[in-house]
Amino acid sequence: MKNFTYAAPRNVADAVRLAGQPDARFIAGGTDLLNLMKDGAQSHGAIIDINGLALGDIVQRNDVIRIGALARMSDVAAHPAVRRSLPVVSEALLNSASPQVRNMAAVGGNVLQRTRCGYFRDSGTTCNKKAPGSGCPALEGENRGHAILGGSDHCIAVHPSDLAVALLAVDAVVLTDRRRIPFADFHVVPGTTPDQETVLGHGELITGFEIPVTPLAARSRYLKLRDRATFEFAVVAVAAALNMRGDTVRDVRLTFGGVATKPWRSPEAEEALRGKPLTTTTITEAGRALVRGAVTRDHNAFKVDLVQRALDGLLRDLGGVR
Amino acid sequence: MTVGRPVERVDGRAKVTGGARYTADRTLPGMLYSYLVMGTIARGRVTAVDTAAARAVPGVVEVFTHENAPRLTSDQHFMPLQGTQIHYNGQIVAITVATTLEQAQEAAELVRVTYAPETPKAVIADALTEVYLPANQEVIVGDPTAGLAAAEVTVTQNYSSPPHHHNPIEPHATVAQWDGDRLTVHETSQGVVNAQRTFATTFGIPQTNVRVLAPYLGGGFGGKSPVWPHSLLNAAIARQLGRPAKMVLARSQMYSIVSHRAEFRQQVTLGAKRDGTLTALVHHSTQQLSRTSENMYSHSISSRMLYACPNIHTRQQGVRLDVPTSRFMRSPQMASHFGLETALDELSYQLGIDPVELRRRNYTDVNPTTGERFSSRFLLDCYKLGADAFGWSRRNPKPGSTRDGHEFVGWGMATEAHDHNANPSSAMVRMAADGTVLSQTATQDIGTGTYTVFTQVVADALGVPLNQVKVELADTNFPPAALSAGSGTIASVTGAVNAAALAVRTAVVQLAVSNPASPLHGVSVERIITQHGYLFSPDRSRRESYRAVMARHGAPVQNTSSMTNARGYSTGAVFVEVRVDPRYGRVRVTRGVGAYDAGRVMNHKTARSQVIGGFTWGIGNALMEHTVLDRRTARVVNPNLSTYLLAVNADVPEIDAIFVNKPDPVSTALGARGFGETPITGVPAAIGNAIFHATGRRIRDLPFTQDKLLY
Ligand SMILES: Cc1cc2nc3c(=O)[nH]c(=O)nc-3n(C[C@H](O)[C@H](O)[C@H](O)COP(=O)(O)OP(=O)(O)OC[C@H]3O[C@@H](n4cnc5c(N)ncnc54)[C@H](O)[C@@H]3O)c2cc1C
Ligand code: SF4
């Protein structure tokens, strides 16, 4: 880690101005940023501490829940309005990291956390995300944890956030100091520029998230599969929101973690269910639609099967299908 | 008597309040910080090292490369920085030294190393044609070929396990200070006496010129047994620069220079009669070796010592790869034990004999390799106690026979077994004029409870309360004692501590009975009872406190004793319940019972902690733990605790630990045997056996991750 300057602005305008410096970075909980800097995966000359900004509130106004960017993961997970109206968000958070990390980490930082791809976090290894053009050792390497959807020949790293998968499922909007960005447009696939993970500009500050309260979001759930019972990132995760009219699926959101290079929504899988009854056949068809474009590598082919199983299990639970 | 009781850790308060000072907590005036630069190729040569930018960082005092590093040799390890050759990925290629840690780290990132790389071999699969049998790695008892021919049923299966890293919570650290040709080292060491010898030899100075201290250790698991080259280099740097120097390894650095458990493949062939008695046991294994050492650390002891079998063949092969040298890691025998205990389960199904019954039928009191009788072995009691506590008799052996909601329930078991060290040890006990007692010995407490157990031993021998006794450990100024490895601390050192305490007791009793001023004057020494800090006449009508006797004497009473114990073998039986969700291949361990014969149990709490720790680690070993090596670069891809998975609380059920608790008659450690490594050895096999019972699926390749269980 190299030496850096530190500033703790008191208002958004100052924070954004300070963050305009070429190699500046915001710090919230620091639970990811500091690891990245210590591991030599990232290096910054100026650290702008935003914890002094008044961005920690969680409020419901009419049919919108607004979560400040500095709200801690634990506080959001426990908030009554979130638990009542956005259960998938609460569940995704409670399935993330550990209580200690959740007490430190802010939701704004969470959706910007970077991949756990081992090559990316190793300063002694080349990686296109870290040093564009240097190559991607994961393509032919140890890729059991890597993406089967949304990858490119340049990068197949999974986006690690659970919260982001849930926010995508409930049609969240990202609020920044200068604009509103629908969550679906926020993260981008790697393509030829895997170093770019979101549409956020340099020095642009996330101030919060707005989430509409809908019947769809109210019936939502998160299923996370991983290699140990807790304190681990997803091998495969599914967020589902379901709105039924009688036996028919009126509307549905299906988003996925652990399998894709960004929080992944599958309109194809949703389409396989919308307007149809929830049965073994339609659920199976949704799973097939999800993985139709999957590209597997040496060690991650099992995810094609596992993600369909996870979708199947979650939809049966949520829809009460035997 | 306090021995045997679950006495609380005497160092617990210091540890939870931060009062315990670990090696990395040492700061000395004028101290410099050394920081390592690790190589990024596994095989080849360093062609150039550019240190200009590193040297320009403010506070940097020196940057050492192979060109200017102190010249050192080691009789134990490959010594880096002595030439350009690279033997494994993550080899030390430079060391920066600065007045603060941050400066040294920043400089380390700026060192530019250029290599002439060659293609490495990282895994056994890439070098199958290079497997060979090093000297003295084959043992044949009886006639295995005839034994197999005589078998009515045989099982032959292959098993494999990945490399593992020790990952103690406390990183390796070393602080070296020279005073002329005298060296003091604070070292994260499981053996200060061995460390003293290594430093003395390396620097060509008398052993008495070296003092090594390690009063607290945050775990070692074998990885802190030797002195590694980085500590020797740090001491050499301190000498060359004329200032104390400290080096603390980053977590990621602990994945290449402080050893690991080797990748392991094995084939087990069992021949048996229909009644289950073994006629042959053939165990062939292959473990990874390095380019610089052919030492082996994963031994097939279980196959040679555990079961009654007249015909045994163990063959421990190796294959040299471009990876670091492996080493002992907690319970080094567990890698091969996994194969044996899984193969026995497979045999039990072929024979239709209950797995506990099969093991019972092959029980022996006699070491099958040497023919010698074990001094004591209560393994049959372990099977019974464990099975009863678990409710094993209710088990329906049919795989897949029990279902609860979505989940299949399975019960599995395995024998647990590990041998233990015993090294000659000495200890000092001194009663001060105020009656307080100090005991010193140069063994260690690596987190296992040595401080507590020795406090109990001394208190019991003298008949004083625990709080009147203070124990000091892990300083080479104390009487030399055993390495804390190979489950050997309690077994090796207890006898000396007890003997020294008893000698002090006798001397103090003598002082009392021989002095007319004592109420005990004239009572014979042998008839005095000591308890609660008092000396009593046989009928307890007269008494005098230790304090009073010592006050009158006005000087301390001291003894140093030495003792050698026999090596031994502690066994047990572990029973587990798993639940497997076939939808996701997800395995949960939901129950665990272990029953053990460890000789006398010195402290029920610290012994139980070994079971909990072993069982926990065993769950990790079975379900998740493995070092991921990139096959093309032989570089570790998961060198941190967020991707190198160990079991966490949510993975671990309540664990029931049962002890037979019968003293081993030959043990000079009050009948205790070494135990730390036994209660993990059988856990991976027991879990695999339970998964088979739950689902009918046999997985022979550790760890049992969910991708292997989808069906
Ligand atoms: C051991 C461990 C396990 C974990 N397990 C999980 C898991 O299972 N699931 C999961 O989802 N996550 C997991 N995480 C990740 C964790 O959730 C993130 O590290 C955390 O959410 C990041 O939040 P932070 O406030 O600490 O961000 P920081 O580390 O402070 O910042 C992260 C990034 O976001 C930027 N940033 C922060 N706030 C803003 C803002 N308001 N505007 C613009 N930029 C901003 C920073 O500049 C930085 O680049 C784990 C982390 C650890 C250490
Ligand atoms: S997958 Fe992406 S992050 Fe990982 S090594 Fe390749 S480019 Fe880097």
Side-chain angles (χ1 to χ4, degrees):
Chain A
M1 202 197 289
K2 71 172 186 191
N3 217 347
F4 54 81
T5 63
Y6 172 85
R10 288 272 147 205
N11 59 61
V12 168
D14 284 353
V16 171
R17 184 178 46 76
L18 286 164
Q21 304 169 70
D23 61 352
R25 262 303 155 117
F26 295 121
I27 188 166
T31 60
D32 196 30
L33 186 68
L34 292 179
N35 285 344
L36 290 163
M37 291 171 72
K38 285 189 205 167
D39 289 344
Q42 264 175 227
S43 168
H44 306 290
I47 295 298
I48 317 300
D49 185 342
I50 54 174
N51 290 293
L53 309 182
L55 297 174
D57 288 351
I58 306 164
V59 287
Q60 175 161 12
R61 215 166 281 136
N62 303 324
D63 281 347
V64 173
I65 293 178
R66 191 176 190 285
I67 301 172
L70 287 174
R72 297 311 180 199
M73 289 168 74
S74 48
D75 293 335
V76 178
H79 197 276
V82 175
R83 292 175 50 157
R84 189 173 51 242
S85 305
L86 309 168
V88 71
V89 171
S90 180
E91 287 176 20
L93 285 167
L94 291 175
N95 275 287
S96 301
S98 65
Q100 294 90 331
V101 173
R102 295 197 294 269
N103 287 340
M104 277 300 284
V107 289
N110 183 293
V111 302
L112 293 172
Q113 65 175 293
R114 306 202 70 193
T115 183
R116 307 313 280 200
C117 170
Y119 301 103
F120 170 71
R121 288 186 182 247
D122 174 5
S123 64
T125 304
T126 57
C127 158
N128 284 331
K129 196 183 268 305
K130 207 162 48 191
S134 65
C136 171
L139 293 174
E140 309 291 331
E142 292 302 322
N143 48 34
R144 177 176 181 271
H146 286 72
I148 54 171
L149 293 165
S152 72
D153 289 345
H154 297 262
C155 180
I156 52 169
V158 157
H159 193 277
S161 167
D162 291 298
L163 172 65
V165 174
L167 290 177
L168 184 61
V170 294
D171 298 328
V173 174
V174 182
L175 314 174
T176 80
D177 61 289
R178 56 201 77 160
R179 56 182 164 152
R180 300 167 57 89
I181 308 167
F183 207 85
D185 300 336
F186 185 72
H187 292 96
V188 296
V189 292
T192 57
T193 53
D195 52 321
Q196 251 151 54
E197 292 168 4
T198 68
V199 297
L200 220 53
H202 178 74
E204 187 168 359
L205 178 76
I206 300 181
T207 53
F209 304 91
E210 260 179 30
I211 306 157
V213 172
T214 63
L216 184 69
R219 187 173 182 186
S220 61
R221 195 168 288 178
Y222 197 68
L223 173 65
K224 180 173 176 179
L225 303 178
R226 42 187 158 177
D227 287 333
R228 67 180 169 197
T230 185
F231 202 12
E232 204 215 340
F233 294 90
V235 172
V236 157
V238 185
L242 197 59
N243 185 3
M244 303 288 290
R245 184 194 292 122
D247 286 343
T248 307
V249 176
R250 182 186 205 170
D251 198 7
V252 60
R253 287 287 181 289
L254 299 175
T255 63
F256 301 86
V259 291
T261 52
K262 66 170 194 169
W264 193 259
R265 180 171 170 188
S266 177
E268 301 84 359
E270 292 170 6
E271 211 42 55
L273 297 173
R274 204 170 282 121
K276 306 205 179 92
L278 204 56
T279 63
T280 300
T281 316
T282 56
I283 292 174
T284 305
E285 191 38 53
R288 291 215 183 105
L290 161 70
V291 298
R292 209 152 272 146
V295 177
T296 61
R297 308 275 165 179
D298 280 355
H299 307 290
N300 65 0
F302 75 97
K303 286 188 178 180
V304 173
D305 184 12
L306 190 59
V307 73
Q308 293 180 74
R309 288 162 175 262
L311 176 63
D312 182 279
L314 182 62
L315 282 175
R316 282 172 194 276
D317 281 354
L318 194 56
V321 182
R322 290 261 171 86
Chain B
M1 286 288 281
T2 66
V3 164
R5 292 222 317 263
V7 171
E8 300 275 342
R9 282 169 191 269
V10 298
D11 52 342
R13 188 183 165 80
K15 283 186 171 169
V16 299
T17 57
R21 289 180 73 206
Y22 290 81
T23 304
D25 298 330
R26 302 275 158 189
T27 311
L28 302 172
M31 192 176 77
L32 297 171
Y33 293 81
S34 313
Y35 199 76
L36 297 171
V37 180
M38 317 302 275
T40 57
I41 66 161
R43 185 185 167 96
R45 274 182 316 107
V46 172
T47 52
V49 187
D50 179 357
T51 61
R55 287 175 185 280
V57 173
V60 170
V61 174
E62 184 56 277
V63 179
F64 293 101
T65 69
H66 66 276
E67 288 172 350
N68 64 342
R71 295 299 121 193
L72 292 178
T73 54
S74 163
D75 51 358
Q76 294 178 46
H77 308 291
F78 162 69
M79 180 64 65
L81 291 188
Q82 308 301 303
T84 58
Q85 202 69 33
I86 297 284
H87 290 298
Y88 52 87
N89 215 320
Q91 184 175 316
I92 300 169
V93 291
I95 302 177
T96 57
V97 187
T99 50
T100 70
L101 173 63
E102 291 75 12
Q103 294 161 339
Q105 282 175 330
E106 182 168 357
E109 275 182 28
L110 297 172
V111 173
R112 288 289 159 265
V113 185
T114 320
Y115 304 94
E118 294 165 26
T119 307
K121 288 186 175 171
V123 291
I124 294 175
D126 286 344
L128 289 175
T129 58
E130 295 160 37
V131 172
Y132 73 107
L133 182 68
N136 307 321
Q137 297 296 343
E138 187 160 41
V139 174
I140 299 177
V141 178
D143 185 344
T145 313
L148 280 177
E152 290 166 343
V153 176
T154 57
V155 164
T156 299
Q157 287 297 350
N158 295 307
Y159 307 92
S160 60
S161 49
H164 290 140
H165 280 79
H166 301 75
N167 275 306
I169 190 68
E170 177 204 28
H172 293 243
T174 182
V175 181
Q177 182 173 32
W178 289 86
D179 178 7
D181 66 348
R182 304 186 71 84
L183 172 64
T184 302
V185 192
H186 298 271
E187 172 83 8
T188 47
S189 173
Q190 290 176 244
V192 292
V193 177
N194 283 9
Q196 178 190 40
R197 200 174 305 132
T198 305
F199 280 106
T201 312
T202 305
F203 293 107
I205 54 178
Q207 206 167 313
T208 47
N209 278 19
V210 180
R211 183 178 179 197
V212 180
L213 303 96
Y216 292 104
L217 210 71
F221 312 118
K224 292 171 181 169
S225 297
V227 177
W228 297 106
H230 69 268
S231 292
L232 299 171
L233 285 162
N234 184 65
I237 286 168
R239 182 167 67 171
Q240 177 165 336
L241 298 179
R243 290 166 68 174
K246 168 154 140 182
M247 181 187 286
V248 181
L249 300 195
R251 178 66 52 182
S252 62
Q253 294 171 341
M254 289 164 59
Y255 287 78
S256 64
I257 60 169
V258 289
S259 81
H260 60 278
R261 192 195 307 279
E263 185 197 352
F264 197 79
R265 291 183 167 206
Q266 53 187 319
Q267 182 173 71
V268 182
T269 303
L270 300 177
K273 295 287 187 195
R274 284 251 158 256
D275 67 0
T277 47
L278 291 170
T279 59
L281 195 176
V282 181
H283 199 156
H284 290 186
S285 63
T286 301
Q287 57 199 287
Q288 154 263 313
L289 308 175
S290 70
R291 295 290 171 202
T292 57
S293 166
E294 65 171 18
N295 287 351
M296 287 192 170
Y297 298 96
S298 290
H299 297 150
S300 301
I301 303 284
S302 300
S303 291
R304 299 202 288 269
M305 276 178 73
L306 197 45
Y307 295 110
C309 183
N311 307 299
I312 299 173
H313 182 182
T314 62
R315 186 183 159 88
Q316 302 177 157
Q317 307 172 121
V319 57
R320 288 177 174 252
L321 299 171
D322 300 291
V323 297
T325 305
S326 72
R327 187 91 192 171
F328 293 125
M329 177 164 156
R330 186 184 187 174
S331 315
Q333 288 151 29
M334 71 183 290
S336 79
H337 191 86
F338 165 68
L340 175 64
E341 289 296 316
T342 311
L344 276 167
D345 201 67
E346 305 207 35
L347 180 65
S348 80
Y349 277 94
Q350 277 210 18
L351 292 167
I353 298 177
D354 176 81
V356 179
E357 181 55 27
L358 177 63
R359 286 167 174 83
R360 243 188 230 131
R361 289 186 190 174
N362 289 290
Y363 171 79
T364 177
D365 292 323
V366 169
N367 181 329
T369 306
T370 63
E372 284 168 49
R373 187 159 293 279
F374 291 107
S375 50
S376 74
R377 184 182 254 201
F378 294 100
L379 180 54
L380 290 176
D381 299 50
C382 296
Y383 292 136
K384 167 124 185 58
L385 289 168
D388 287 352
F390 190 82
W392 185 261
S393 62
R394 297 196 307 274
R395 178 176 181 264
N396 175 349
K398 198 170 164 318
S401 55
T402 311
R403 203 165 178 152
D404 182 6
H406 284 299
E407 291 179 322
F408 286 106
V409 183
W411 289 1
M413 63 81 57
T415 306
E416 303 221 76
H418 212 279
D419 67 357
H420 70 83
N421 273 346
N423 290 313
S425 293
S426 35
M428 187 282 289
V429 171
R430 176 165 64 226
M431 184 172 277
D434 66 357
T436 59
V437 185
L438 175 68
S439 177
Q440 295 178 326
T441 170
T443 193
Q444 300 68 220
D445 188 331
I446 61 175
T448 47
T450 320
Y451 279 112
T452 311
V453 170
F454 288 176
T455 303
Q456 296 172 257
V457 169
V458 172
D460 283 7
L462 286 162
V464 300
L466 291 168
N467 62 13
Q468 211 167 311
V469 179
K470 183 170 171 26
V471 174
E472 293 181 345
L473 301 175
D475 179 342
T476 51
N477 282 355
F478 303 159
L483 183 73
S484 294
S487 305
T489 310
I490 293 298
S492 303
V493 194
T494 300
V497 172
N498 184 53
L502 287 176
V504 169
R505 176 190 183 275
T506 305
V508 177
V509 169
Q510 184 69 48
L511 286 174
V513 298
S514 62
N515 194 321
S518 168
L520 298 168
H521 181 240
V523 181
S524 81
V525 170
E526 302 77 50
R527 304 195 62 203
I528 291 289
I529 299 164
T530 50
Q531 215 179 5
H532 306 312
Y534 284 86
L535 289 57
F536 295 92
S537 62
D539 62 359
R540 296 192 179 243
S541 61
R542 286 175 284 150
R543 66 171 198 185
E544 187 174 31
S545 70
Y546 270 107
R547 206 176 300 257
V549 179
M550 295 305 292
R552 190 169 53 238
H553 181 58
V557 173
Q558 175 173 336
N559 177 272
T560 299
S561 289
S562 298
M563 194 76 80
T564 302
N565 201 357
R567 295 173 63 96
Y569 198 53
S570 287
T571 57
V574 63
F575 297 80
V576 305
E577 176 183 278
V578 301
R579 282 163 187 262
V580 183
D581 187 333
R583 294 175 303 171
Y584 312 132
R586 192 162 58 185
V587 181
R588 295 187 299 135
V589 179
T590 44
R591 242 158 31 90
V593 173
Y596 303 96
D597 168 25
R600 164 171 285 153
V601 174
M602 303 296 287
N603 178 323
H604 193 274
K605 184 171 256 175
T606 57
R608 179 167 177 270
S609 292
Q610 289 301 308
V611 176
I612 294 173
F615 197 99
T616 300
W617 207 346
I619 291 176
N621 188 296
L623 298 184
M624 63 197 77
E625 183 175 358
H626 63 296
T627 303
V628 183
L629 273 183
D630 183 282
R631 201 160 160 173
R632 291 153 312 156
T633 61
R635 189 170 172 84
V636 177
V637 183
N638 58 342
N640 56 67
L641 292 175
S642 88
T643 45
Y644 183 97
L645 301 186
L646 298 160
V648 294
N649 283 332
D651 293 295
V652 185
E654 185 72 27
I655 294 155
D656 190 2
I658 303 165
F659 296 96
V660 175
N661 198 14
K662 293 205 175 122
D664 187 322
V666 308
S667 168
T668 60
L670 299 175
R673 279 198 236 104
F675 177 60
E677 292 176 296
T678 297
I680 174 174
T681 49
V683 177
I687 292 174
N689 297 343
I691 291 173
F692 178 78
H693 180 231
T695 65
R697 296 266 293 213
R698 181 72 69 180
I699 313 175
R700 302 184 178 89
D701 175 29
L702 286 166
F704 313 136
T705 45
Q706 53 196 334
D707 46 309
K708 297 177 187 168
L709 269 159
L710 296 177
Y711 62 98

